């Protein structure tokens, strides 16, 4: 099985590109943000716990997302791998992922990073807010908190995967098609 980590700041275009990637490589798309939003919509206890954290632009506890990912790994059949979108988001989550995969002597195939400058993050999220209606996209201070959380807790993962020789960075500026082609060029080699 292949395990691709799709990495990048909020608004980089991970969700936009994921569909084409899962289709081309027969992957299961696992977005922890989407899984959490589904729990919130369903009104589950986990959703209730996550709601206020997400709406404030903070991360939910590592153990919550790690549990969701591990059960999806167990349940999912008939794919050649997984596209992890929005997970891992902390060094602890990355270590936990390595631990989960080690149980079956597997490893992360590569961390594919879509990179855009901070100035474009605000612009992309403001655009998405009009289309998707996500509560955590709507307020400037919440978006700023998410960007700050990305820099302090998630960006250190770049070094984590770089040291493992598994970090591949893609320029996320330009058209959706241009970015998609850059992603395919990188993933074809993995
Ligand atoms: P996303 O859809 O990936 O932008 O995620 C939306 C929100 O869900 C984030 O701002 C976090 O509050 C929460 N979230 C998603 N994935 C994770 C994760 N791996 N660890 C902690 N919180 C997460």
């Amino acid at each position: 099985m292949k395990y691709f980590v799709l990495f990048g700041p909020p608004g980089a275009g991970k969700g936009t590109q994921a569909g084409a990637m899962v289709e081309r490589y027969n992957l299961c798309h696992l977005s922890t943000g989407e899984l959490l939003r589904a729990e919130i919509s369903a009104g589950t206890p986990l959703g209730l716990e996550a709601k206020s954290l997400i709406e404030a632009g903070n991360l939910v506890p590592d153990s919550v997302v790690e549990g969701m990912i591990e059960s999806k790994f167990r349940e999912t059949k008939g794919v050649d791998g997984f596209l992890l979108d929005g997970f891992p988001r902390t060094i602890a989550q990355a270590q936990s992922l390595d631990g989960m995969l080690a149980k079956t002597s597997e490893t992360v195939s590569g961390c594919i990073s879509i990179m855009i400058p901070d100035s474009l993050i605000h612009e992309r999220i403001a655009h998405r807010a009009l289309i998707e209606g996500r509560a955590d996209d709507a307020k400037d201070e919440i978006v700023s908190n998410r960007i700050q959380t990305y820099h302090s807790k998630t960006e250190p993962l770049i070094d984590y995967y770089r040291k493992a020789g598994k970090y591949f960075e893609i320029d996320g500026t330009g058209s959706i098609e241009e970015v998609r082609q850059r992603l395919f060029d990188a993933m074809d080699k993995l």
Side-chain angles (χ1 to χ4, degrees):
M1 293 284 258
K2 298 271 187 194
Y3 294 88
F4 296 108
V5 172
L6 182 57
F7 187 87
K14 301 188 291 294
T16 303
Q17 298 292 350
M21 298 163 86
V22 300
E23 202 177 308
R24 183 175 171 103
Y25 303 100
N26 187 32
L27 307 172
C28 169
H29 179 210
L30 288 183
S31 155
T32 40
E34 272 174 23
L35 292 171
L36 289 165
R37 284 188 286 279
E39 296 280 342
I40 293 173
S41 302
T44 65
L46 194 155
L48 287 177
E49 185 192 345
K51 188 173 193 292
S52 55
L53 289 166
I54 292 179
E55 288 184 357
N58 294 319
L59 296 182
V60 306
D62 290 336
S63 57
V64 170
V65 284
E66 287 161 8
M68 290 191 325
I69 289 285
E70 195 160 24
S71 50
K72 289 286 176 192
F73 282 168
R74 265 199 310 267
E75 287 165 11
T76 309
K77 307 276 181 263
V79 293
D80 295 325
F82 292 88
L83 184 65
L84 302 176
D85 167 1
F87 177 90
R89 238 177 174 100
T90 62
I91 296 281
Q93 289 177 19
Q95 289 167 337
S96 161
L97 173 62
D98 286 344
M100 284 177 214
L101 299 183
K103 289 181 199 167
T104 46
S105 306
E106 293 177 291
T107 57
V108 167
S109 312
C111 171
I112 321 288
S113 171
I114 308 180
M115 214 29 82
I116 58 168
D118 271 10
S119 55
L120 202 57
I121 298 179
H122 282 279
E123 199 182 294
R124 292 261 185 100
I125 291 183
H127 177 70
R128 185 170 70 188
L130 299 174
I131 299 169
E132 292 183 18
R134 274 175 56 172
D136 60 345
D137 280 345
K139 279 207 192 114
D140 260 354
E141 74 252 35
I142 293 169
V143 172
S144 296
N145 189 28
R146 285 165 58 208
I147 295 170
Q148 216 178 318
T149 304
Y150 165 77
H151 285 308
S152 61
K153 302 213 168 126
T154 305
E155 216 166 35
L157 287 172
I158 294 178
D159 245 21
Y160 184 87
Y161 286 114
R162 195 175 266 144
K163 280 189 186 130
K166 294 183 175 176
Y167 184 75
F168 305 91
E169 192 168 294
I170 301 301
D171 175 6
T173 63
S175 72
I176 291 177
E177 293 72 23
E178 282 166 341
V179 176
R180 182 189 304 150
Q181 194 53 55
R182 290 177 203 137
L183 286 166
F184 287 172
D185 289 345
M187 287 175 77
D188 281 352
K189 295 185 197 117
L190 296 176

